[in-house]
Amino acid sequence: MTTARWCARNPSQQTEAHKLIEHLMILTNEQVAELCERRRVPAIYRVHEQPDPARIERLVDQLASLDVPTPPVPKNLMPAVAGELAGEISRTVAKEAARRGHGRDAYTSLVLRSLKPAYYGERNLGHAGLGSPAYAHFTSPIRRYPDPRHPPGSAVCGRGGRGGAGSRARPRDRLAQL
């Protein structure tokens, strides 16, 4: 019988370096997804569909009841506009939490619960949570290194894709060809 061990969460402060790395990883994942789509290379996308407009309307009502400023909700809210509104709300609640000095986790939880869950799929349907038209997890989900076994990694590194298994092109040369 195995006993599970739970570790205390030790939150660390996110530095500018952390933010830069996160930004670059997101950008990389977007660029690789767009490249795969252009080249018709099979890929696994991280899909986060547009939110249900009724859930975003409810989110606005909940935040308003907490005296959190919210943007106006247009009549006949459509999913794409609901996605844009969710992004604006997310930025607004982050600023409000910083201003108040509390509430960040609670506000973020409300926003996240109003969105559809993200999933992996073979069809690119965009990533509404990031406001991105294409997103693939080319960089490892554990955020340590890119996975060269992933189809985009194979194409970029000369293992499969256009270069074929025997391609001798250096990764830097392959990137220049893209």
Side-chain angles (χ1 to χ4, degrees):
M1 176 182 274
T2 306
T3 305
R5 292 184 186 170
W6 296 92
C7 299
R9 182 176 169 214
N10 294 325
S12 60
Q13 187 172 0
Q14 190 175 26
T15 66
E16 288 299 316
H18 290 111
K19 292 175 187 175
L20 175 63
I21 290 167
E22 184 68 22
H23 179 75
L24 292 172
M25 289 179 74
I26 289 170
L27 182 61
T28 299
N29 290 329
E30 290 172 333
Q31 294 298 309
V32 168
E34 289 174 12
L35 175 67
C36 288
E37 220 172 28
R38 264 195 326 272
R39 294 225 172 139
R40 294 188 173 95
V41 173
I44 302 296
Y45 297 94
R46 184 68 173 162
V47 177
H48 195 205
E49 294 182 57
Q50 297 292 342
D52 178 33
R55 294 188 73 147
I56 298 303
E57 289 171 349
R58 177 165 163 65
L59 170 65
V60 168
D61 291 342
Q62 290 173 320
L63 292 169
S65 74
L66 297 169
D67 293 323
V68 174
T70 57
V73 178
K75 291 184 181 188
N76 302 320
L77 186 62
M78 301 300 289
V81 176
E84 291 172 14
L85 193 59
E88 186 178 344
I89 290 168
S90 181
R91 290 184 295 276
T92 301
V93 300
K95 289 177 188 172
E96 183 66 12
R99 185 187 72 75
R100 291 183 182 190
H102 63 83
R104 187 177 129 246
D105 290 342
Y107 301 151
T108 300
S109 177
L110 284 174
V111 172
L112 290 175
R113 282 191 261 162
S114 71
L115 303 175
K116 291 181 179 178
Y119 60 92
Y120 291 98
E122 295 177 9
R123 286 185 46 219
N124 173 31
L125 300 174
H127 195 296
L130 295 172
S132 178
Y135 191 84
H137 266 170
F138 174 70
T139 59
S140 174
I142 60 171
R143 306 199 180 289
R144 290 201 180 140
Y145 49 84
D147 186 350
R149 295 165 302 192
H150 187 277
S154 298
V156 171
C157 294
R159 293 183 215 124
R162 293 177 118 190
S167 175
R168 296 189 184 272
R170 294 186 336 221
R172 178 178 290 156
D173 295 338
R174 296 285 304 139
L175 287 171
Q177 293 172 3
L178 303 174

